[in-house]
Amino acid sequence: MRKHGWIRVSTLQTYGEKMVVEQSCKCLGTRTTRHDPFVQSEAELADSEEALQLLTLPELKSLAKARGIKQLTNKAKEVICSAILKGTKQRTVVSFFRKTSSADDSTKQRLDSLVREITKLTGPLVKLSPATTELFERLHLVFFRTPTFRGDDTPMKVAVLATIGQIRFPKYNVVRSHDLFASRDDVIQYKALLEVDSQMSELGSALVKDTEKHKQGWDLFLTYRDAWAHHVKSLNEKGGLDRPLTFSGTSDEVVAIEYWKRRFTSGSVLARIVERGAKFAANLKQFADEEGILQSLLAQTAYRLGKRGDWYERLILLHSAHLKPKRAKGGDKQTSDTLLRQALLTARDLCIRALNDQHVGRLSLHSISRQMRALEAKLSFEKDQLYQHSRVLLEWEPAPERTVYGVRINDRNRRGPSLWDGNDEIPCSVERLALWRYQSLGYNGLHSENAMATTLFSLLFWDIIFHPLPGTLDTEYQSRPLDMGNESFYFSRQTLIEERLKEIAGGEFADIILANYDFGYGAECVGVSWDITCDQLLIVAKYIGGYGLAAICKVLAREYRSKSSGFPDLCLWNSVTEKVMFVEVKGPKDKLSDSQRDWIDILVSNGISVEVCLVREGDARDHEEP
């Protein structure tokens, strides 16, 4: 679907003789009693702006010159197009005194004349008809299980490259699902909602100060608010809101797969639309509306379970800050204090509710735990009144810090990561500078970031990742199962994953890594970096040990989407001491993110060495010990 716009017929002559191509285009554009035309012709081109984009820069300059537009030397194409449009819309002296039914009619006539003039320059044009484009997009969605929007041809391109052997995918059994969509109408409705969601995503990417776009997004949400309320009510009546919760604690692959398949329903897209509505409300400071939307999302457990932690965090902030009553001047202080206390208690109750929600992940638990203790401090709770729960996570395990020094290259014109004088005065990144320092201490290593952890995980769980489950491996062009990163991934394979984790913890991991590295080498597999050699992987796995390796893999199996980032920058090992260490590198003014703190906590808690390397400006000879 890459070429969905207007195409010059003359450019299609590489596909055949000129007469054959022109006759074929004419035939495809013919309407019959049985079907609409497959393509449109230049006669249906009405948009003057779209027409101008078809011209080359020399053609535009020629057209502008013929219309008396001057001073176009070294002007960009967009500038010339704007000048031509502006000149066309302006009324001439003759047209100003001519009696016409409407000034708009006169402008339209001039723009139509411009389009005709352009088509004389381009020659015959063709464009896929809207119905044809819609059909191919629908077929793409049904086959690849992912939406495609006009101009995006990535999945099709990948399939072509795989067919001609330019890229290779892992070998697995394709288990095509035939029940993801109940009917043709369901596909049409699902796709229509996906387009709305895409439109809202684009509007939501605007700056906060661009209130006009956020208002457009809010108005779009309002169109679907009632549909969401009706859908949640319908789910509740059918008892469908709590079914996915049963896959907690026990292995229930059937329920997990059913939950995954809900991603292909209109309700799943509606949930995303509603979530975007909450963000528009926040940007427009409509906090009461935002609170109601978040409550409606938390009232169901049918969709987007992995987002519940974020919803709780925001809802707690709303009640503790934005929605708390403000003390009016001259008002009753006791009444105001009572209302404020009630708002803080409501926020605390939400914290307790979140801590007891099994779908709230590690990062959110840390944030919510801190929110709760801050609220309890404001409420002047005694120590014995503080809420205690096994999931209260207040602090991350810290890592030792090491400070190294280097000479920073100051370049005001440079944007992006800083550059430093490295070994032999070769400019390098802050991570490379730190790696060089650690090598002088006897370490070997890589600047691998997340790749070391994700590569080890994918190789250790290769057969489980590509275990054939309904609705996950539907084409032969996948580098991952479709549910990778979804909440259902772990639960739908829980038995297999737990058995593999026991094997790894027991020390049976080297043969698995070696076998899968040889079996899958070069294939496009999720998380795998083939730049890391098999020997390096085996050394790192050996020095981490089975217990630590199993801990890392379990985190990735349960929360791959959120935990496939934030892993320390450097992976170091010392072959003499047979120790491994991971290092998070921070330049001046850099701070650890919550995701990075969480990974450090996981590693330290499981006996794996971690350091935070602080790179500072200065001469190493003056600060560092030899």
Side-chain angles (χ1 to χ4, degrees), residues 399-405 422-423 428-447 568-577 579-586 600 609-616 620 624-626:
E401 294 182 350
R402 181 190 299 268
T403 303
V404 301
Y405 294 86
N423 194 8
C428 66
S429 66
V430 67
E431 293 85 4
R432 185 66 193 173
L433 177 66
L435 181 59
W436 177 51
R437 290 283 195 271
Y438 278 100
Q439 286 173 339
S440 68
L441 298 175
Y443 286 97
N444 294 310
L446 299 169
H447 174 203
D569 297 307
L570 307 182
C571 175
L572 308 172
W573 61 90
N574 188 313
S575 299
V576 176
T577 61
K579 298 290 184 182
V580 70
M581 179 167 66
F582 294 99
V583 178
E584 181 62 43
V585 183
K586 290 297 171 189
I600 290 172
S609 296
V610 188
E611 278 190 0
V612 176
C613 180
L614 306 175
V615 179
R616 300 292 181 260
E624 298 177 29
E625 297 180 3

Side-chain angles (χ1 to χ4, degrees), residues 5-293:
W6 289 100
I7 304 171
R8 297 191 190 202
V9 174
S10 59
T11 64
L12 300 176
Q13 291 174 14
T14 53
Y15 299 99
E17 296 181 6
K18 178 180 178 182
M19 187 178 298
V20 175
V21 170
E22 290 179 355
Q23 189 62 34
S24 298
C25 290
K26 190 176 293 185
C27 181
L28 290 171
T30 304
R31 183 185 301 274
T32 68
T33 55
R34 296 182 60 184
H35 58 76
D36 292 333
F38 193 81
V39 298
Q40 296 174 293
S41 69
E42 68 276 5
E44 296 171 84
L45 175 58
D47 190 329
S48 54
E49 291 187 35
E50 188 177 11
L52 283 168
Q53 294 300 319
L54 297 171
L55 299 178
T56 63
L57 188 58
E59 288 172 337
L60 279 171
K61 288 182 177 179
S62 175
L63 178 63
K65 186 176 179 181
R67 289 176 162 261
I69 301 172
K70 301 178 181 179
Q71 298 179 346
L72 297 177
T73 306
N74 298 326
K75 297 294 184 182
K77 185 174 180 178
E78 292 73 18
V79 175
I80 300 174
C81 288
S82 297
I84 293 172
L85 280 174
K86 183 178 179 182
T88 304
K89 291 176 182 179
Q90 288 177 345
R91 301 180 69 184
T92 63
V93 175
V94 174
S95 65
F96 181 83
F97 288 103
R98 182 184 300 159
K99 294 182 179 180
T100 59
S101 57
S102 167
D104 291 338
D105 288 344
S106 178
T107 301
K108 184 179 182 307
Q109 289 171 6
R110 291 196 297 275
L111 291 173
D112 290 344
S113 176
L114 173 63
V115 171
R116 289 192 296 271
E117 198 171 341
I118 291 170
T119 55
K120 287 180 181 178
L121 291 171
T122 61
L125 300 169
V126 289
K127 177 184 179 181
L128 289 176
S129 69
T132 304
T133 301
E134 172 68 19
L135 173 62
F136 275 106
E137 289 178 350
R138 216 179 297 155
L139 287 170
H140 184 286
L141 174 61
V142 172
F143 181 78
F144 288 106
R145 308 307 197 199
T146 55
T148 179
F149 299 104
R150 296 176 186 183
D152 177 21
D153 64 339
T154 303
M156 186 70 72
K157 186 183 293 183
V158 166
V160 172
L161 290 173
T163 302
I164 62 177
Q166 293 298 306
I167 58 175
R168 184 165 63 85
F169 289 96
K171 296 177 181 178
Y172 52 82
N173 294 325
V174 176
V175 183
R176 187 76 182 171
S177 302
H178 302 287
D179 60 347
L180 288 186
F181 300 104
S183 66
R184 176 177 177 273
D185 289 341
D186 281 355
V187 175
I188 293 172
Q189 185 181 27
Y190 179 70
K191 181 178 176 298
L193 288 173
L194 283 174
E195 290 175 350
V196 173
D197 179 59
S198 176
Q199 185 181 352
M200 292 182 72
S201 174
E202 187 176 346
L203 290 169
S205 64
L207 297 174
V208 176
K209 63 182 180 181
D210 191 351
T211 57
E212 188 59 38
K213 287 191 175 180
H214 292 292
K215 285 179 181 177
Q216 291 177 30
W218 174 252
D219 291 340
L220 201 53
F221 157 72
L222 291 177
T223 307
Y224 295 92
R225 181 168 59 180
D226 291 343
W228 169 249
H230 176 76
H231 182 72
V232 171
K233 181 181 178 182
S234 175
L235 279 176
N236 194 25
E237 291 171 352
K238 294 176 182 177
L241 289 178
D242 296 325
R243 287 195 67 192
L245 293 177
T246 60
F247 65 53
S248 173
T250 60
S251 177
D252 191 340
E253 293 186 2
V254 175
V255 174
I257 292 169
E258 286 181 0
Y259 170 74
W260 158 245
K261 287 182 178 180
R262 285 186 179 179
R263 179 176 178 268
F264 298 98
T265 64
S266 297
S268 174
V269 190
L270 270 176
R272 286 210 303 271
I273 289 172
V274 171
E275 185 179 15
R276 296 192 196 282
K279 291 179 181 178
F280 287 124
N283 290 334
L284 295 171
K285 301 190 184 304
Q286 299 172 192
F287 299 124
D289 289 322
E290 184 188 3
E291 194 269 350
I293 295 170

Side-chain angles (χ1 to χ4, degrees), residues 458-513:
S458 293
L459 291 176
L460 285 166
F461 287 80
W462 188 286
D463 55 323
I464 298 173
I465 289 171
F466 295 102
H467 179 66
L469 290 176
T472 62
L473 295 169
D474 277 15
T475 74
E476 57 189 297
Y477 311 115
Q478 295 179 216
S479 62
R480 65 177 73 197
L482 291 174
D483 65 340
M484 188 79 171
N486 186 272
E487 299 82 10
S488 70
F489 176 83
Y490 172 80
F491 294 106
S492 61
R493 302 163 178 79
Q494 186 170 355
T495 302
L496 295 172
I497 291 172
E498 293 295 341
E499 288 177 357
R500 182 59 51 83
L501 288 172
K502 288 179 182 178
E503 293 176 17
I504 295 169
E508 301 176 26
F509 51 80
D511 289 343
I512 300 173
I513 293 172

